[in-house]
Amino acid sequence: MLARSQAESNQLTDANENSRFLPGVSFPSGLRVSSDISQVITSSDLIIIAVPSNSFRSNVSLIKPFLSKGIPVLSATKGLEIGSNKRMSEILLDELHDELHECVCVLSGPNLAKEIIAGSPASAVVASEYPDSAEAAQDILTSATFRAYVSRDVVGVELAGALKNVIALGAGFCDGLAIGDNAKGAFITRGLAEMSRLGVALGAQPVTFAGLAGIGDIIATCSSSLSRNHYVGEQLAMGRTLAQISAHMDNVAEGVNTTKAAYALSKYMNVEMPIVSVTYNVLFEGLLPKDAVSRLMERPVGFEQ
Amino acid sequence: MLARSQAESNQLTDANENSRFLPGVSFPSGLRVSSDISQVITSSDLIIIAVPSNSFRSNVSLIKPFLSKGIPVLSATKGLEIGSNKRMSEILLDELHDELHECVCVLSGPNLAKEIIAGSPASAVVASEYPDSAEAAQDILTSATFRAYVSRDVVGVELAGALKNVIALGAGFCDGLAIGDNAKGAFITRGLAEMSRLGVALGAQPVTFAGLAGIGDIIATCSSSLSRNHYVGEQLAMGRTLAQISAHMDNVAEGVNTTKAAYALSKYMNVEMPIVSVTYNVLFEGLLPKDAVSRLMERPVGFEQ
């Protein structure tokens, strides 16, 4: 595991745990921590980048001199870059030399970290334009409790993972307003439909949104009290402001930034995304969650598709 | 509301509530109860049949002499007929005179009854081969809190509503075994995929399974403690037998019979349905839910689709 500094590396090694994000969970015995980028990267068979989306590009630029052909570079980050609205694999393609493009992989799926740490069974999708890279990552990631499926739909897998956080915020509104499971089921269904519409406009396969990275992740996220995005939505619905909520969270809720990027992308691509729009209005323009839900309920009915 | 006998009609009218299934909830002021089939059917603008699947055919044969063209007949039953494995609209087509076939409609979606009674917002899909009938039913059903969308995919809407009860039983296994939300998300995703496979083989549109009658209903059912099917699955996972559980339930869990019918249909159509299979094994052949879940987890990984 690559630490950002010698001091952080020492602290992590001495504590034998990540005291900030996972207090009380000891590192597995095989894990070694170092801040020596060259040493960490060149001794690894698989590079997993799991940092917030807003520091993804800077982290990639730090490690890129040490990457080499044949070693997959896998993004586990579920978000979009603010400003460019790019997916994490697009950042990798921007930053990495052409001959390393075949290393680029992405991972997404219903993977609440605390459950994986507890040894509960989980599954995910590894996508790459290059099947050899996806299969190499699959081989390393698959275990008795973790199943990795491969896919070639990089755009779909990444967008599903990122956009589901926006839907989780909205599902949090539903739970915070206590409007019931019928409404929440309808809300998530409409959310998935608009994610899929944007994805298809950007080149994704619709079937990906019906898979683990889409429905699977949405169900896990929206039914779990472990989701930060769902928590933020719920707290907003209960009357707190984004600033108040953020002040008490150690970790950014990716859905907040992703809402901004998804809102921009939907305008740019001219794709109707009513849930993304009202979530944007709630987060950044003061719309009340109850008015957001009413606005969605008042849309005209007609044919379902 | 059509009661089965004069005595039942009197009892319901006197109590002004359905004491057996909805104690404490008064009937709306406009509701009238009668056991006079002719009078009830001929004075109605929309006939809604909402009886268990195993008494659907006998109920239809009682009312059919009094039906007339132009009045939609809508099935709200989510199940398949044991033996014939037919959908409820197929029973209607069997039983009704050809000139009434255009009246046949079906309703499905995330509609937990107790939430609708409480006035919480909900939505559903009305499907018919005949858009005029679906739209007539839609007009009558739509209210400030209930949104009805129309569809022409009768096969898809009915199969989604029926098969989701099998998946709810299985999701109950996951919750009863406390294996976590990651596994539950994956389980429901795979369940939806196999429902969709069978549906497509039988002529349904895949997009219906991504809509309110599919994903929407599954999410509501599987996240709710109000679902009988989910309850049965959970109790089985906690070690009780189907006989023990059924003895304490006033209402049949449709998913139990639907599992039998879906298992037969999957064999007949040669469609692989691993979740239906293991659920069948648990319900009728003594497989333990924990072994059912392990059996699903041990299937080979590869491409997601």
Side-chain angles (χ1 to χ4, degrees):
Chain A
M1 185 164 69
L2 180 60
R4 270 161 291 195
S5 64
Q6 182 64 47
E8 187 186 43
S9 174
N10 292 343
Q11 190 276 322
L12 287 164
T13 302
D14 292 347
N16 195 37
E17 65 169 37
N18 185 325
S19 314
R20 183 168 168 215
F21 291 121
L22 283 173
V25 178
S26 297
F27 288 148
S29 56
L31 184 78
R32 283 156 52 210
V33 186
S34 166
S35 62
D36 181 338
I37 302 178
S38 162
Q39 195 255 320
V40 169
I41 300 296
T42 58
S43 66
S44 297
D45 297 323
L46 169 67
I47 314 297
I48 300 177
I49 311 180
V51 297
S53 58
N54 60 13
S55 61
F56 195 91
R57 192 180 288 272
S58 59
N59 276 283
V60 171
S61 73
L62 285 174
I63 65 171
K64 68 183 180 184
F66 309 103
L67 297 171
S68 57
K69 272 187 82 160
I71 305 295
V73 178
L74 180 142
S75 160
T77 298
K78 295 174 178 174
L80 296 168
E81 189 177 44
I82 291 289
S84 75
N85 305 322
K86 285 184 173 173
R87 293 173 282 107
M88 299 302 110
S89 73
E90 291 181 289
I91 298 177
L92 284 166
L93 297 180
D94 280 353
E95 297 289 329
L96 302 188
H97 193 279
D98 284 358
E99 67 167 22
L100 294 176
H101 286 192
E102 68 183 48
C103 302
V104 174
C105 298
V106 300
L107 177 80
S108 208
N111 291 164
L112 295 157
K114 286 185 184 170
E115 291 190 1
I116 291 177
I117 290 159
S120 300
S123 51
V125 186
V126 180
S128 177
E129 305 275 355
Y130 299 85
D132 285 355
S133 296
E135 285 167 20
Q138 175 188 42
D139 283 347
I140 294 175
L141 292 168
T142 298
S143 75
T145 55
F146 192 84
R147 294 161 69 83
Y149 294 85
V150 299
S151 162
R152 294 188 76 148
D153 185 12
V154 176
V155 180
V157 168
E158 278 190 302
L159 283 180
L163 295 174
K164 78 103 203 335
N165 285 327
V166 182
I167 310 306
L169 277 168
F173 299 162
C174 295
D175 285 338
L177 297 167
I179 59 174
D181 289 321
N182 290 338
K184 188 174 158 187
F187 184 92
I188 292 172
T189 303
R190 307 306 293 173
L192 197 75
E194 67 178 61
M195 279 166 61
S196 193
R197 270 201 301 276
L198 180 65
V200 168
L202 292 166
Q205 301 298 316
V207 76
T208 299
F209 295 88
L212 290 170
I215 294 171
D217 198 1
I218 285 191
I219 290 173
T221 303
C222 295
S223 50
S224 178
S225 53
L226 303 176
S227 160
R228 287 188 290 276
N229 297 291
H230 183 273
Y231 173 80
V232 170
E234 201 166 24
Q235 293 295 310
L236 284 165
M238 292 165 80
R240 294 173 70 201
T241 66
L242 185 56
Q244 289 168 337
I245 301 162
S246 303
H248 294 277
M249 292 179 79
D250 196 11
N251 241 342
V252 67
E254 281 282 2
V256 175
N257 285 339
T258 304
T259 301
K260 204 176 274 180
Y263 183 76
L265 273 176
S266 73
K267 296 290 174 203
Y268 180 71
M269 299 300 295
N270 202 19
V271 171
E272 208 188 358
M273 300 189 79
I275 292 178
V276 164
S277 292
V278 300
T279 306
Y280 181 88
N281 298 149
V282 169
L283 291 175
F284 306 113
E285 297 178 343
L287 180 69
L288 293 175
K290 74 178 169 56
D291 295 333
V293 171
S294 307
R295 197 178 286 183
L296 292 171
M297 285 296 290
E298 282 154 14
R299 290 168 56 81
V301 293
F303 267 85
E304 197 188 8
Q305 301 312 324
Chain B
M1 184 164 70
L2 181 61
R4 271 162 291 196
S5 64
Q6 182 64 47
E8 188 186 42
S9 173
N10 292 344
Q11 189 276 322
L12 288 164
T13 302
D14 293 346
N16 195 37
E17 64 168 39
N18 186 325
S19 314
R20 182 168 168 215
F21 290 121
L22 283 172
V25 179
S26 297
F27 288 147
S29 56
L31 184 78
R32 282 158 50 210
V33 186
S34 165
S35 62
D36 180 336
I37 303 178
S38 163
Q39 195 254 321
V40 169
I41 300 297
T42 58
S43 65
S44 298
D45 297 322
L46 169 66
I47 314 297
I48 301 176
I49 311 179
V51 298
S53 57
N54 60 13
S55 61
F56 195 91
R57 192 180 288 272
S58 58
N59 276 282
V60 172
S61 74
L62 287 175
I63 65 170
K64 68 184 180 183
F66 309 102
L67 297 171
S68 56
K69 271 188 82 161
I71 305 296
V73 178
L74 180 142
S75 160
T77 298
K78 294 174 179 175
L80 296 168
E81 188 177 45
I82 291 287
S84 75
N85 305 323
K86 286 184 174 173
R87 293 172 282 108
M88 299 302 111
S89 73
E90 291 180 290
I91 298 177
L92 284 167
L93 296 180
D94 280 354
E95 296 290 328
L96 303 188
H97 194 279
D98 283 359
E99 66 166 22
L100 294 176
H101 285 191
E102 68 184 48
C103 303
V104 174
C105 298
V106 300
L107 177 79
S108 208
N111 292 164
L112 295 157
K114 285 185 185 170
E115 291 190 2
I116 292 177
I117 290 159
S120 299
S123 51
V125 186
V126 180
S128 177
E129 305 274 356
Y130 299 86
D132 286 354
S133 296
E135 285 167 20
Q138 174 188 42
D139 283 347
I140 294 174
L141 292 168
T142 298
S143 74
T145 55
F146 192 84
R147 293 161 69 84
Y149 295 84
V150 299
S151 162
R152 295 188 74 149
D153 185 11
V154 176
V155 181
V157 168
E158 278 190 303
L159 283 180
L163 296 173
K164 78 100 202 333
N165 285 327
V166 183
I167 310 306
L169 277 167
F173 298 163
C174 294
D175 285 337
L177 297 167
I179 59 174
D181 290 320
N182 289 338
K184 189 174 157 187
F187 184 92
I188 293 173
T189 303
R190 307 305 293 172
L192 196 74
E194 69 178 62
M195 279 166 60
S196 194
R197 270 201 301 275
L198 180 65
V200 169
L202 292 165
Q205 301 297 316
V207 76
T208 299
F209 294 88
L212 289 170
I215 295 171
D217 198 2
I218 285 191
I219 290 173
T221 303
C222 296
S223 51
S224 179
S225 53
L226 302 176
S227 160
R228 286 188 291 275
N229 295 290
H230 182 273
Y231 172 81
V232 170
E234 201 167 23
Q235 293 294 310
L236 285 165
M238 293 165 80
R240 295 173 69 200
T241 67
L242 185 57
Q244 288 168 336
I245 300 162
S246 304
H248 294 277
M249 291 179 79
D250 196 11
N251 240 342
V252 68
E254 281 283 1
V256 175
N257 285 339
T258 304
T259 301
K260 203 175 275 178
Y263 183 77
L265 274 175
S266 73
K267 296 289 175 206
Y268 180 69
M269 299 299 296
N270 202 20
V271 172
E272 207 188 359
M273 300 189 79
I275 292 178
V276 164
S277 291
V278 300
T279 306
Y280 181 88
N281 298 149
V282 169
L283 291 175
F284 306 114
E285 297 178 343
L287 180 68
L288 293 176
K290 73 178 168 57
D291 295 332
V293 171
S294 307
R295 197 177 286 182
L296 292 171
M297 284 296 290
E298 282 154 14
R299 291 168 54 82
V301 293
F303 268 85
E304 196 189 9
Q305 298 313 324

